[in-house]
């Protein structure tokens, strides 16, 4: 994980979760509290390219968080059908907002970046991401961000 | 009478969140049309009349920059105000959008009152 983007993630991700989804989150500082290898989260990935930096970012969310995330973003109750059908889309948009804001945080407002489209992450990346990523606890459940520089 | 707006974003969640924001900001919306990319937006604009287009930049098939260019090149669409709501934070990109004729810009995530102020700025008070 690049230092610039790691620092940006730590500065930006909690704010975006709060502003976009009314999620109050904290860094998971105690690694013993991380989920075990049976954890089966939903992962979303997107990439970016630019003269200043290129790379890939992923988010992994506990499935129990997703319906709350979508409901909060849409301003509907959790039993609203839209909160169930738009869970992955909501997570993708959170990642999109985190990435866009991280790039400005890390590199300033000057550089231009081309952002990709959020898409499902390959579960094979989860183990490595778990070791090198940035863990948060949101609504009492785990969420993991990972960012890597280079195409 | 209220505002008639076309929302263009590939995220159904964002379109839903914007609809909710219109309600929270007590904006007088007469009708809100939706499209999931620039291509779909252009097709929609052939069949409906809107006061304003609110578009994302980064979308599949046709993004917001290409949509803006296509609208400015079409005599029947060139005068419809287009505002951008995006995660884009590059001042270079925003300046180029302004030079291309956008009517306003908001960065995601944005608050309902920012959306209200944008629509008031572009369209004026209640029609």
């Amino acid at each position: 994980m690049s230092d610039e983007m790691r620092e940006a993630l730590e500065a930006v991700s909690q704010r975006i979760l709060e502003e976009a989804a009314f999620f109050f989150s904290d860094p998971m500082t105690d690694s013993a509290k991380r989920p075990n290898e049976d954890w089966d989260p939903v992962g979303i990935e997107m990439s970016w390219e630019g003269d200043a930096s290129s790379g890939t970012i992923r988010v992994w969310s506990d499935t129990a968080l997703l319906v709350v995330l979508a409901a909060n973003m849409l301003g509907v109750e959790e039993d609203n059908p839209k909160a169930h059908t738009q869970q992955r889309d909501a997570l993708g948009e959170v990642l999109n907002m985190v990435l866009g804001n991280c790039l400005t945080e890390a590199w300033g407002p000057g550089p231009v970046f081309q952002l990709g489209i959020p898409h499902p992450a390959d579960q094979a990346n989860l183990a490595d991401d778990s070791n090198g990523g940035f863990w948060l606890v949101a609504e009492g459940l785990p969420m993991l961000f990972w960012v890597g520089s280079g195409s | 009478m209220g505002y008639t707006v076309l929302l263009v974003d590939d995220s159904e969640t964002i379109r839903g969140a914007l609809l909710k924001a219109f309600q929270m900001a007590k904006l007088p919306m007469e009708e809100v049309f939706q499209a999931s990319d620039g291509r779909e937006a252009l097709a929609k604009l052939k069949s409906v009349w809107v006061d304003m287009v609110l578009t994302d930049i980064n979308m599949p098939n046709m993004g917001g920059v290409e949509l803006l260019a296509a609208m400015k090149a079409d005599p029947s669409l060139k005068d419809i105000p287009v505002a951008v709501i995006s995660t884009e934070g590059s001042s270079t990109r925003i300046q180029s959008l302004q030079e291309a004729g956008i009517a306003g810009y908001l960065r995601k995530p944005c608050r309902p009152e920012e959306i209200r102020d944008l629509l008031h700025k572009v369209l004026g008070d209640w029609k």
Side-chain angles (χ1 to χ4, degrees):
Chain A
M1 187 182 288
S2 70
D3 289 344
E4 292 90 347
M5 288 299 279
R6 171 76 185 212
E7 290 171 10
L9 255 183
E10 294 183 7
V12 163
S13 52
Q14 291 173 263
R15 174 175 64 81
I16 298 297
L17 284 169
E18 182 178 339
E19 292 179 1
F22 311 106
F23 269 12
F24 294 96
S25 60
D26 291 299
M28 188 186 290
T29 51
D30 184 355
S31 60
K33 291 183 178 175
R34 292 178 189 171
N36 62 27
E37 59 190 19
D38 294 333
W39 192 44
D40 187 23
V42 169
I44 302 287
E45 173 181 299
M46 61 187 298
S47 58
W48 77 91
E49 290 184 3
D51 291 339
S53 169
S54 300
T56 301
I57 187 170
R58 286 189 281 274
V59 62
W60 302 92
S61 172
D62 197 284
T63 53
L65 265 179
L66 293 179
V67 69
V68 187
L69 181 77
N72 286 5
M73 290 178 74
L74 289 164
V76 300
E77 298 296 325
E78 291 170 30
D79 59 1
N80 187 304
K82 288 182 177 177
H84 292 266
T85 58
Q86 295 180 30
Q87 294 179 28
R88 289 167 191 266
D89 183 62
L91 186 61
E93 269 309 304
V94 165
L95 185 64
N96 188 29
M97 286 186 258
V98 167
L99 176 57
N101 284 269
C102 274
L103 289 169
T104 310
E105 178 78 18
W107 306 105
V112 176
F113 297 98
Q114 303 296 329
L115 274 58
I117 303 293
H119 59 273
D122 186 341
Q123 292 284 334
N125 291 308
L126 178 57
D128 285 345
D129 291 1
S130 297
N131 292 323
F134 175 54
W135 286 89
L136 288 172
V137 181
E139 307 289 309
L141 292 167
M143 182 176 271
L144 168 67
F145 286 95
W146 177 91
V147 64
S149 297
S151 300
Chain B
M1 292 288 284
Y3 300 138
T4 300
V5 170
L6 173 60
L7 297 180
V8 191
D9 198 304
D10 56 324
S11 167
E12 198 174 347
T13 304
I14 291 297
R15 298 199 308 268
L18 286 169
L19 288 172
K20 186 70 180 180
F22 293 157
Q23 289 177 7
M24 292 173 68
K26 296 184 169 53
L27 284 164
M29 308 308 293
E30 183 169 325
E31 190 148 21
V32 181
F33 299 101
Q34 299 186 37
S36 61
D37 61 37
R39 195 181 297 172
E40 197 177 310
L42 288 174
K44 180 70 75 177
L45 288 168
K46 289 187 190 304
S47 59
V48 300
W49 189 90
V50 300
D51 294 314
M52 181 179 183
V53 173
L54 290 171
T55 184
D56 189 15
I57 293 177
N58 187 32
M59 297 178 286
N61 301 319
M62 177 187 275
V65 174
E66 294 81 9
L67 170 62
L68 178 66
M71 289 180 64
K72 292 300 178 190
D74 185 331
S76 66
L77 303 178
K78 67 181 176 61
D79 293 326
I80 298 174
V82 178
V84 171
I85 302 181
S86 166
T87 61
E88 181 67 61
S90 163
S91 54
T92 308
R93 172 69 66 78
I94 294 168
Q95 186 178 341
S96 73
L97 286 167
Q98 289 167 337
E99 289 168 359
I102 61 167
Y105 176 82
L106 287 179
R107 188 168 193 196
K108 296 177 188 172
C110 47
R111 299 189 304 276
E113 53 268 36
E114 293 177 296
I115 296 167
R116 177 198 62 205
D117 291 349
L118 172 66
L119 266 66
H120 282 180
K121 185 188 99 177
V122 175
L123 298 175
D125 285 333
W126 284 205
K127 291 199 306 181

